[in-house]
Structure formats: C-alpha cells, structure tokens
Amino acid sequence: MEISDELKEIDENLIKQLNQIAKEKVEYWDIRTEVNNGTSLDFNDQKSKEISSFEIINCGIRAFKNGGWGFSVLKDLKRESIKLGFQKAMKLACLSESLCKVKFNINQRDPLIVQYQNSRKKKLDDIDIEDKIKLVKEHEQIASNYSSYVKNTRTIYLDGHSQTLFLNSSGSKIIQDLSFLRLFCLVYTKKNDTIQSSVNSVAGIGGYEIVETDEAINLSKKTAKEAVALLDAKSPVGGKFTIISDPKLTGTIIHEAFGHSCEADLVLNNESILKDKIGEKIASEGVNIIDNPTLGQGRQFNLPYELFGSYFIDDEGIPSEKTIIIENGILKNYLHNLETSSRMNVPPNGHGRASISSERPQVRMGFSYLEPKDWSLEDIVEDTKDGILCEDFQYGYTDPTSGNFQFKCRFSYRIKDGEKQEIMRDVALSGMILEALNKISAIGNKQTFNYSVGMCGKGGQRIRVCDGAPYIRIEDITVGGLN
Amino acid sequence: MDNSNIHSLAEYCLNLIEHKNSEIKCTDIFFEKSKYINIEIEENSIKNNEVGEDNGVSIRVINKKGSLGFAYANKLDRFTIERLCKIAIKMMKVATPDPDFKDLPGSFNNYPIVNGLFDKNLKNLEIEDSIKYVNDLIKVCEDDEIAISQSGNFASGYSKTYIFNSNGLYVSRKDTSCLISSNIIVKDKLSKETSSGYERQVERSLKNIDAITIANLALEDAKRNLNRKKIRNMKVPVLLTPKGTISLILRPIATAVNAETFQYERSFLVGKRGQNIGSEFLNIKDNGLIDGAAGSQIFDDEGVPCKNKKIIEEGNFLKTGLLHNSYTAGKDGVESTGNAARSSYVSIPSIGITNFIMKPGDISFEEIMKDIKEGIVLDYTGDSPNISTGDFSGLILHGNLIRNGEIKEPLNETMIGINLLDLFQKINAVSKEYRVYGAFQAPYVKIKSVNIIGGAN
C-alpha cells in the first residue's frame, strides 16, 4: 500500500514526543487522521447539476482522564499543528475531568499494528471521468425514456477514496485504505393530479465493479418501473392489521426502531427502552437479531465487493466482530464502543464509529439483521386471512425513550383469504417496538432474505450502514392512510 | 491566513482561469475559515470539551454553454488553488451544457446594514468561560424530583466568509453564533414510564443565551409527555405549538417556495402563484434583515444582498413569492432574491431561507385554548409532509388531548392525516405569542378540524 505524503508527517519520532507530552497527565489518547478525495456527479433530467471533485484532510485528537474527554479538531497534518492540537486535547480532557461527576476508566488493550486495504477489481482512479459521466447519463436516459409518465429523474454518483491513520496511547498504529462508491436513482412520475416517486441505490466498499453488477445496471429501470406502478395505486385503508413486511422494510425497522436502543451510549444515558433488560425475553421465540460488520459478507449476496456497512477495524482501533443482540427472543448484548464497554465491564465489540476523523466515535451499527427461519413467502401469504403486504421503505422514525415508531412503506397490497389484492400506496405503520417484536408470527426462510444499504444519522454524523431481513409477519399493527 | 493573503489567492485563481480557457464565461471562489467550541453533557454530567477549526475553499467555473465544474479542498495555498482550478475546469469540460444558466451576479453598490450578526465576545470565547451555561442546564435537571437524565450541549462558532467572482464581485463577512440544547428524560415514580423533552436556542450574541429557561422548557415538555394514552379515532380542532407550526406550516412552505423545487415541479404549490391557498390568518415572509436574528445575513452565499420578502399575504400566495439564487432567477428571468445558500465551502449554492416568519395574530394563547372543548395539541411529529403532493400523515410523537380548554393526557400511537392545502384553509386562529427557533419564527396556530387516527381502536 502506498502511504500518502500527508500521513507520512506523523512518524515514530513525533509519536515518541506525543507519548512524552502525555505521560502521566492523561490516561488515554488517540489520533485519527485521514486524507480523502472523491468525485460527485449529480444529474437532473439528463443535465448535470453538479460535477465536482474534492480533497479533504481531517484530524481529530482525543484525550481522556477519569471520565472526562477532550477533543481537538484540526485540518492540517503539520507536525507543529498536531503537537499543539494534542496539547489542547489534553488540557480539555483535564478540564472535563475536573467537572464531570460520572467517573470511570478506559480498559487498556493490547496494541494493534496493522494495515488494511480493501480489494478493488477496478480502481476508481483508473476510470476516466468521462466514463463515469457516461454511466450516469445512461441511467438518466433509461429512467426518462421508461414511460411518458416520468416527470423528473435524478441520478447521483458518489465515489471516494480515504486513507486513515489511527494511533493511540497503547501503541496501536492502524492504516486503512478504503474506496467506496454509491449510485443513487430517483424518479418522479405524474399522471393527472397524482405525483409519485421512487428511489433506489446501490453502494459498497470496492472499486468501479460496484456499478457493473446486474442490480446496479437495472437500478434506473427498476426505480422508474416502481414510480410508474404507484400512479395507479389506491389509497390505503386505516386500522389494525396483520402486516407482512418485506426485507427492506423489516431491515429498516430492525435498525431504526430496535437497533438504536441497543447502542450502549443511549442505554447509559437512560434514553433506551432496553436499559436493565439483558437476559430478559423481549421478542417472540425464534427471533434472532445480529449486528455483523465483519468483512467477506458480499459473497453471500453474489456481490464482487464488500457490503457498504462493513469495516475491518472500527474508529477506536477495535476489530469488527459479529455481535448477537437477540438470541431466541432473549436480549443478549448491547453494542459497545471503548467507553461503554469499559463502564459496563464487558469486552468491547467494535462498534465505535465516526463519520470522519474530525468527529468523535459514537456507538453505531454496521450490518444489522434479523436471521431467517423457515417460512416461504407463498406460505406466509396463504396463511394470512386479512392483512397488508408492505414493500420497500420511504422513511420512518422512533421515539427512543418510549419505543413508539412509525414507518412508511412505499407500496403495499391488501391480503384477503391468502390472496394478494391490488396495489396500494403511502401506507404508514405504527406501534411500540417491544410489543411488535412479540407479535412476530412468521419469519421467512433464507430465500426471502435480503439486505439494503443506507446512510444512518446520529448526533449529526452520517455513516455507512446495511440492514437485512427475510419477509416477516407481525400481528396487530396500526396502519394509517391519509383517508 | 489574513485578508490580503486570501485576496491574492483569489486574484491568482481568477487570473489563472481566465488565461486557461477561452470558453470560460465566469468563475466564483468561496473561502471560509471557521472555528468552534463545543461542550457536551451526557447523563447530566459534563462529558466532553471540544475545539476545532477549518479553512476551506471552493471554485466554481462555468463556460459559455452553461456547463459547470466545481472543486474544493481544505488547504489554502497557491499549489492547492492551482490544482483546484485545473480540476474544476476538467469537471466543467465533462458537464452538460445548460442554456438556462445566465450569469453569476455582478458587483453591487449597496448592501443593507444589519446589526448584531457578529459578537466579538463569541469570537474570543474560551471554553473555560462557557462552562457556566452547561452548569445551568445540569442544575435544572438535578433539582427536579423526577428528572433522571439529560443530554445537551453548548456550542459557539465564528466564521469569516469571502466571495469573489469574475464579474468583479468581492465581499466578506464575519458571523458568530451560539447554541444551547437540552434533552431531559423524566421517569414517573409509580408507573415507571419514561419520556423525554427537547428544547434549543440559537443566538448570534452570547448575552441572549438563557440556559435555565431552555432546560426548564425541556423539562416541562418531558413532563407533559409522561404516561401516554391511546385514544380512539376523532375529528377535532388541532392546536399547533410553535414547534408544530414549524413542522407543518413553515418548513413545508419554505421547501415548496424554493424556486428549484418549483422549477422541477416538485412542489404542491406549483400553479398556485397569485391564488388563495389558505385562510386570512396565513401570512408568511422571509426576512434576512432582522438585527441579531439567526437567519439574517447582509448578503447570501453568492454575494447577493439579502432582502425582506413577502411570500404569502392573507392566504394569497404572491406571484413574487419564490426564493431564488442567481441560477433559478436567471432561468425565470427575475432578480435573485438573495437566498443562495451553501452548507459550507463544500457545496455549490442551493437555495435556503433567511428568517422564515409566520405573522403572529391578535389574540392570546389562553383565549384560543379557552374555546377548545375537545381537541389535540400537536407539538412534535417526526414526520414531514410530501412536498410534491402536500399530503401529510404522521405519528404525533409529542401531543396531548385538550379538554375544556386545558392540556390533558399525552398521546400514544396517535396519527394525524391531512393535505396541507386543506390545513392552510382551516387555520382559524393564530396567537400573538410566538417562539423563535433558529431561522424560524412561529406562533401557536389553530386548525379548525382534523382527522385523528387513534391506536385504541
């Protein structure tokens, strides 16, 4: 791996000096630096709106003492700037320590010295900008020409390359070199007074091969097809219903309404409904929920690249690992970063992540999913007397302290006596997550399992995530349409 | 990096581009240097102290056919500027032509005077001197019987912005802002139920920050939401709190009158200019010239002077009621309204609000409440309306029943569904009290009757 010149500034000599400065003044420190560059292509109605390129340097220096953190952010990697930033972070940690009431220590770990570079079959830098433009234009054309009902199209291509260096007081030195790509397609359709839209994206960690899979090639057509189909969708019905939820919607509910409550920082701050519930049965028997950000899972979905939410080592120098959250309905583990694991006296499980080096790591998910069981989709539908099959996801939100959630799927079908009826739109589901997890009455098999990609926001930081699930059935969910 | 340095970098860049390519029509350069401090509390205790800084530059180059290239970096030296110029031109060459692009703004002779946008106390604020604000937050939570935790922060920032373009425009401004936020968790001793309440304040000057009030408001909010009940379906008047007014009236209108949303016909207000779209109580303006207000600016992020614009007057959506940057204005053949907005140097200018204001009414909150026998008060929904259709159906995350003019039980699993045009027509009272949340100013607003879908059916 070729190390960028900026990162080379931080050599053994500087690290030695930093250790000298920190000696006995703070208990822990870490430095994260990164050099990023990338391209962004944003097309609307076959015209380019933004064609841009960037080069950004970030550096965040963290120091810790007895419950207090100090954090100093700088945007250049000169030796003198780093030393100065380091001293500031130490001073701020001591200030925090003098004021904080919640005292704790960070459990020391063995140093980790490692380099990682994700595989990329086609390097992003080797692809000419003209070819990237051509790709976006083709997607725009496919979407625009799909039907005369297509009103607007938008295609966004984002790629990036980042090289990060992590150092900490235990002597860790981790260099990671990542390249990632996201292609995003949005289509608006109009028929008489009805306006509809659909959106899909493909994303992963790897090279240009990410946009060359069948899924990526079909992205714009699939999106246009959905947006057109929705024009004739009927308004949904309201009331209490049995719901069959597709992998995309289920995965999102698992992530948003449940996954965030498992983040130990929210648990410690009394903001989670799962506080003091480890070891308790909180979901139907047979429910297994996992967060597994480890690498090598793209294969499972026939992808020639790594999943968008995967990572090798988290942003606190802890290798990613598979964490079992719910096993057979019983809450087993929270997700941890360095601080929460130290405070709860458990081993860290590699969920300390930051969007960029100039932000502090928080407890975050990577690839969270509900494990498949044994139902086929046909069997679930046939076994449902009166219900609604909900597909895809528009958006959703959850009140973390109560677990009250609402999600909007993109389209849905009424199920009557085991038969799928006509398409409906704009279906909103709401409920209490801990009640809903206990009302799961069927979990689909491996063939129905799928994953989706997204950017997850928490405390102003947006990070790469994936979620996954099979089709599932939940009883007794409140459904609200507009009428 | 001092002013003369920035100036010479900008001149260097403009010269370089001018001589690079005869196809180029215009260029602008945006410099921003900023610094901030941030103190965070978690578990009602100070947790983290943070300081940071950034210096960045972006270059936008447009050729005679309207093709646009953009590049940015956070290093300010000649070598970086030179590379950015090359990259921006490379990007421009592969961009599609855009006949709708007219020109970047020219230079302006006069800029408005707006006071109170820069507070030197904030620019020079040390983190040690800011601790007292978070200590105020902590004390409110500590002193309460049922408050069990609080997260929140105090942050302050200073930025200096420079905009140059090849039409001779050169402007710079200094801005300060500070923010205090509180999220308090309460727990009922008997029912063991918990709930949270949130409040924040954004100011341009330090002296206006009132941490104790903010924490108390968050606490009241949390308590109002404790021991939630499911209700049955009903059709009743809905009273929007200022927060509710922002999420159901101000924010959707701000997006819907954004000229870009409009030109793409993604706004439910397309075709409604010059028409009545709401009751006489609906009066909206976007005013960038209020002294000391969070959304005020002397000029926008393309250097165009900010203004005070009426958007909706007594329910009439004015023909001139759109927010423009120079691109959308050129496309429509009008003047830019001074609403170009960038999130920072990393983005090309889109369109944003300055201070987006709903005019308060003549009667008090109490008088409005008194008339409601049975109704709902809506404070917060995590949902936002569909801007292209105006349809809204969402979960009421913070809301209460109103009975005989009093705020009663908080709601659980309760949804509300309405089209915004219907909602605007049904506004039948607006309070004289209003709240300022950053760039929004919102009163209490009463909606005549709305379908409520309860979870108790």
Side-chain angles (χ1 to χ4, degrees):
Chain A
M1 183 191 326
E2 203 179 312
I3 310 292
S4 77
D5 290 343
E6 275 93 353
L7 296 185
K8 280 184 195 152
E9 281 278 305
I10 304 162
D11 57 12
E12 292 309 319
N13 189 18
L14 177 63
I15 296 169
K16 215 161 127 191
Q17 288 177 34
L18 296 179
N19 273 319
Q20 278 295 332
I21 299 170
K23 213 173 171 186
E24 282 161 27
K25 292 204 182 88
V26 291
E27 294 159 17
Y28 172 86
W29 58 262
D30 57 30
I31 299 182
R32 289 172 298 125
T33 59
E34 70 190 351
V35 180
N36 292 326
N37 59 63
T39 314
S40 154
L41 313 175
D42 183 352
F43 273 69
N44 271 279
D45 296 338
Q46 306 193 56
K47 283 199 303 193
S48 65
K49 185 171 174 230
E50 179 177 343
I51 307 290
S52 72
S53 170
F54 65 89
E55 300 173 4
I56 295 289
I57 293 165
N58 286 312
C59 176
I61 303 172
R62 218 163 50 139
F64 174 83
K65 189 180 176 186
N66 196 21
W69 288 100
F71 190 51
S72 153
V73 168
L74 38 145
K75 302 281 173 166
D76 80 74
L77 304 183
K78 291 193 198 86
R79 302 166 64 89
E80 284 314 306
S81 312
I82 287 180
K83 267 199 242 171
L84 205 67
F86 191 83
Q87 276 157 339
K88 266 189 208 163
M90 280 177 40
K91 193 176 137 209
L92 293 172
C94 295
L95 177 67
S96 296
E97 195 271 331
S98 70
L99 298 162
C100 71
K101 280 161 270 176
V102 184
K103 304 287 182 192
F104 59 93
N105 300 110
I106 295 290
N107 293 342
Q108 292 298 317
R109 299 195 31 105
D110 292 336
L112 194 58
I113 296 170
V114 65
Q115 293 193 1
Y116 169 76
Q117 181 170 33
N118 71 278
S119 77
R120 47 205 85 162
K121 289 169 188 69
K122 293 190 170 180
K123 275 191 193 166
L124 295 173
D125 286 347
D126 293 347
I127 308 293
D128 211 76
I129 181 87
E130 266 114 4
D131 289 327
K132 296 176 184 174
I133 297 266
K134 196 167 149 245
L135 170 96
V136 175
K137 277 186 177 165
E138 277 167 9
H139 278 287
E140 282 279 287
Q141 263 167 19
I142 292 169
S144 296
N145 298 336
Y146 181 80
S147 149
S148 58
Y149 295 122
V150 171
K151 180 91 189 138
N152 295 137
T153 58
R154 186 169 187 195
T155 307
I156 303 173
Y157 168 101
L158 302 165
D159 69 24
H161 170 233
S162 86
Q163 197 168 69
T164 62
L165 166 67
F166 175 90
L167 302 166
N168 72 10
S169 48
S170 339
S172 290
K173 182 173 184 178
I174 301 160
I175 297 177
Q176 299 191 77
D177 189 286
L178 296 176
S179 83
F180 40 85
L181 193 159
R182 188 168 194 209
L183 184 69
F184 175 94
C185 186
L186 171 67
V187 176
Y188 282 87
T189 50
K190 192 175 179 188
K191 188 177 181 181
N192 304 324
D193 275 344
T194 307
I195 299 172
Q196 285 293 343
S197 66
S198 189
V199 54
N200 285 291
S201 73
V202 164
I205 298 168
Y208 203 65
E209 63 273 11
I210 293 168
V211 291
E212 292 176 337
T213 61
D214 287 346
E215 191 196 355
I217 291 164
N218 290 323
L219 188 70
S220 44
K221 188 173 173 189
K222 178 184 178 220
T223 309
K225 191 178 168 187
E226 288 171 359
V228 170
L230 279 168
L231 288 170
D232 295 320
K234 300 217 160 61
S235 279
V237 283
K240 285 259 180 186
F241 282 94
T242 296
I243 295 297
I244 302 170
S245 167
D246 85 331
K248 219 166 165 180
L249 180 65
T250 312
T252 310
I253 294 175
I254 293 302
H255 172 102
E256 288 292 340
F258 178 73
H260 283 295
S261 320
C262 306
E263 295 167 344
D265 51 352
L266 297 185
V267 175
L268 285 167
N269 203 31
N270 288 310
E271 286 179 57
S272 166
I273 42 166
L274 298 179
K275 192 179 166 80
D276 301 325
K277 288 212 160 58
I278 293 277
E280 280 183 29
K281 185 176 172 299
I282 59 163
S284 300
E285 247 166 66
V287 172
N288 294 308
I289 294 177
I290 313 287
D291 191 280
N292 185 2
T294 58
L295 297 163
Q297 296 182 85
R299 260 176 264 132
Q300 184 187 335
F301 303 99
N302 292 319
L303 301 173
Y305 53 86
E306 295 291 351
L307 290 181
F308 200 49
S310 290
Y311 47 91
F312 178 51
I313 293 177
D314 78 0
D315 295 308
E316 296 184 307
I318 313 285
S320 61
E321 64 177 72
K322 178 176 173 178
T323 306
I324 295 168
I325 301 171
I326 294 183
E327 190 174 51
N328 211 9
I330 294 168
L331 182 66
K332 289 286 178 182
N333 290 295
Y334 299 127
L335 303 178
H336 287 288
N337 64 5
L338 209 53
E339 173 183 325
T340 63
S341 61
S342 297
R343 291 180 59 187
M344 291 178 155
N345 213 14
V346 292
N349 49 26
H351 285 91
R353 302 180 67 193
S355 58
I356 46 175
S357 298
S358 50
E359 297 281 0
R360 284 189 308 143
Q362 306 162 308
V363 182
R364 303 300 290 259
M365 286 168 265
F367 174 31
S368 33
Y369 57 88
L370 176 73
E371 273 192 349
K373 297 298 273 195
D374 42 15
W375 287 71
S376 72
L377 176 58
E378 294 71 33
D379 287 348
I380 300 179
V381 172
E382 254 173 48
D383 188 59
T384 304
K385 242 189 138 46
D386 187 12
I388 298 175
L389 169 62
C390 299
E391 299 264 348
D392 205 343
F393 156 78
Q394 288 189 57
Y395 60 87
Y397 45 89
T398 308
D399 181 2
T401 42
S402 66
N404 196 176
F405 66 83
Q406 160 141 330
F407 288 91
K408 227 168 241 181
C409 67
R410 191 163 295 280
F411 48 97
S412 61
Y413 304 87
R414 188 71 189 270
I415 307 283
K416 271 187 182 157
D417 298 321
E419 299 261 339
K420 197 167 135 180
Q421 315 271 313
E422 73 276 24
I423 187 170
M424 301 187 296
R425 61 180 158 100
D426 267 332
V427 191
L429 319 172
S430 92
M432 310 301 285
I433 185 63
L434 292 184
E435 289 173 21
L437 287 174
N438 276 297
K439 291 180 191 162
I440 297 176
S441 61
I443 299 177
N445 59 22
K446 229 175 166 177
Q447 285 71 46
T448 75
F449 186 86
N450 209 346
Y451 80 102
S452 50
V453 300
M455 296 295 286
C456 167
K458 176 175 171 182
Q461 296 190 46
R462 285 165 61 74
I463 56 152
R464 301 187 292 273
V465 291
C466 285
D467 54 56
Y471 276 86
I472 65 165
R473 185 174 64 192
I474 317 173
E475 306 295 330
D476 212 18
I477 289 284
T478 306
V479 173
L482 190 61
N483 306 312
Chain B
M1 187 72 44
D2 59 26
N3 292 357
S4 63
N5 240 333
I6 294 275
H7 218 279
S8 74
L9 277 178
E11 288 209 333
Y12 177 67
C13 170
L14 289 172
N15 260 320
L16 209 61
I17 288 178
E18 205 178 323
H19 293 103
K20 270 250 150 66
N21 192 317
S22 60
E23 277 301 296
I24 288 168
K25 182 179 170 74
C26 51
T27 305
D28 73 355
I29 313 162
F30 186 89
F31 289 95
E32 191 178 55
K33 44 182 202 169
S34 58
K35 61 172 192 172
Y36 69 89
I37 63 176
N38 185 23
I39 309 170
E40 274 177 54
I41 56 175
E42 267 177 38
E43 297 161 73
N44 207 38
S45 165
I46 287 179
K47 173 63 154 299
N48 179 55
N49 282 298
E50 175 175 345
V51 296
E53 57 189 34
D54 197 6
N55 287 308
V57 57
S58 60
I59 300 175
R60 179 166 62 145
V61 189
I62 304 144
N63 70 12
K64 287 172 182 154
K65 290 178 183 157
S67 309
L68 187 154
F70 185 70
Y72 62 90
N74 63 353
K75 250 174 140 179
L76 303 185
D77 54 52
R78 282 194 175 220
F79 179 71
T80 305
I81 294 282
E82 202 168 315
R83 204 169 55 247
L84 283 184
C85 287
K86 276 188 200 144
I87 296 171
I89 292 171
K90 187 176 162 195
M91 297 290 132
M92 177 196 79
K93 282 182 176 164
V94 295
T96 55
D98 186 353
D100 291 326
F101 176 82
K102 296 296 179 319
D103 203 353
L104 290 175
S107 63
F108 294 86
N109 291 325
N110 291 305
Y111 282 95
I113 294 168
V114 189
N115 296 308
L117 306 184
F118 171 76
D119 175 11
K120 70 172 189 306
N121 293 323
L122 272 180
K123 187 193 169 193
N124 301 322
L125 187 66
E126 294 287 338
I127 213 159
E128 287 81 354
D129 301 323
S130 322
I131 300 289
K132 58 175 180 281
Y133 301 102
V134 286
N135 278 340
D136 283 347
L137 295 181
I138 290 171
K139 188 159 189 323
V140 170
C141 182
E142 248 171 23
D143 289 352
D144 190 80
E145 284 253 301
I146 65 165
I148 55 167
S149 188
Q150 176 177 223
S151 55
N153 75 325
F154 171 86
S156 80
Y158 159 74
S159 70
K160 180 140 193 200
T161 307
Y162 304 80
I163 306 169
F164 297 83
N165 76 25
S166 53
N167 294 340
L169 181 142
Y170 160 53
V171 285
S172 70
R173 63 171 190 237
K174 289 189 288 187
D175 292 289
T176 52
S177 69
C178 53
L179 157 94
I180 191 138
S181 76
S182 162
N183 183 37
I184 292 187
I185 321 283
V186 297
K187 185 173 187 174
D188 189 286
K189 289 193 168 139
L190 285 173
S191 71
K192 306 282 183 214
E193 193 179 305
T194 59
S195 79
S196 65
Y198 180 75
E199 200 59 51
R200 75 201 295 249
Q201 183 187 15
V202 182
E203 294 289 344
R204 293 297 201 126
S205 309
L206 189 58
K207 63 177 193 302
N208 298 330
I209 287 288
D210 183 355
I212 292 174
T213 302
I214 294 305
N216 275 315
L217 286 168
L219 186 59
E220 282 167 29
D221 185 19
K223 287 181 176 175
R224 249 196 326 272
N225 281 285
L226 203 49
N227 299 322
R228 291 173 289 269
K229 293 217 162 45
K230 292 182 186 178
I231 58 165
R232 295 194 168 277
N233 292 353
M234 49 169 72
K235 191 170 185 177
V236 289
V238 168
L239 182 66
L240 304 176
T241 65
K243 275 188 214 159
T245 300
I246 291 170
S247 53
L248 283 188
I249 298 176
L250 286 173
R251 206 186 295 275
I253 291 179
T255 313
V257 302
N258 172 322
E260 192 181 299
T261 317
F262 223 81
Q263 288 173 355
Y264 283 119
E265 297 190 23
R266 289 172 191 163
S267 164
F268 69 101
L269 295 179
V270 167
K272 305 240 168 356
R273 273 196 286 176
Q275 292 179 21
N276 175 285
I277 58 156
S279 83
E280 61 188 303
F281 294 100
L282 188 64
N283 291 281
I284 309 267
K285 61 181 179 179
D286 181 62
N287 185 358
L289 307 180
I290 305 168
D291 285 348
S296 291
Q297 285 296 4
I298 304 161
F299 55 83
D300 72 1
D301 287 342
E302 292 186 309
V304 176
C306 287
K307 298 186 179 78
N308 179 10
K309 294 136 301 194
K310 285 179 180 163
I311 309 286
I312 298 169
E313 211 169 18
E314 294 186 345
N316 286 311
F317 177 26
L318 302 180
K319 284 203 167 112
T320 53
L322 295 187
L323 306 179
H324 282 286
N325 60 16
S326 69
Y327 173 81
T328 60
K331 192 172 174 179
D332 275 9
V334 296
E335 295 282 305
S336 168
T337 55
N339 287 89
R342 313 189 193 222
S343 58
S344 77
Y345 61 89
V346 308
S347 68
I348 58 171
S350 60
I351 295 172
I353 56 169
T354 57
N355 297 292
F356 211 68
I357 299 161
M358 180 165 182
K359 190 178 158 190
D362 301 322
I363 61 169
S364 71
F365 167 71
E366 264 96 39
E367 283 171 281
I368 297 176
M369 281 293 287
K370 202 174 65 197
D371 283 346
I372 305 176
K373 291 236 151 21
E374 187 182 36
I376 299 279
V377 53
L378 191 162
D379 185 48
Y380 175 61
T381 152
D383 222 310
S384 47
N386 179 331
I387 296 301
S388 46
T389 61
D391 285 348
F392 174 77
S393 96
L395 185 66
I396 300 175
L397 286 180
H398 281 189
N400 297 67
L401 275 173
I402 302 173
R403 264 200 312 273
N404 299 322
E406 280 177 39
I407 293 181
K408 298 288 186 187
E409 300 89 333
L411 307 171
N412 216 359
E413 275 192 69
T414 307
M415 291 200 256
I416 171 172
I418 191 165
N419 185 280
L420 290 183
L421 290 172
D422 188 23
L423 182 145
F424 297 162
Q425 293 293 355
K426 285 182 172 166
I427 298 173
N428 63 357
V430 174
S431 75
K432 59 185 179 197
E433 298 87 352
Y434 68 95
R435 287 285 316 269
V436 180
Y437 285 97
F440 290 104
Q441 299 190 12
Y444 291 88
V445 173
K446 187 181 157 212
I447 318 295
K448 206 156 48 186
S449 79
V450 184
N451 277 322
I452 303 294
I453 305 145
N457 296 292

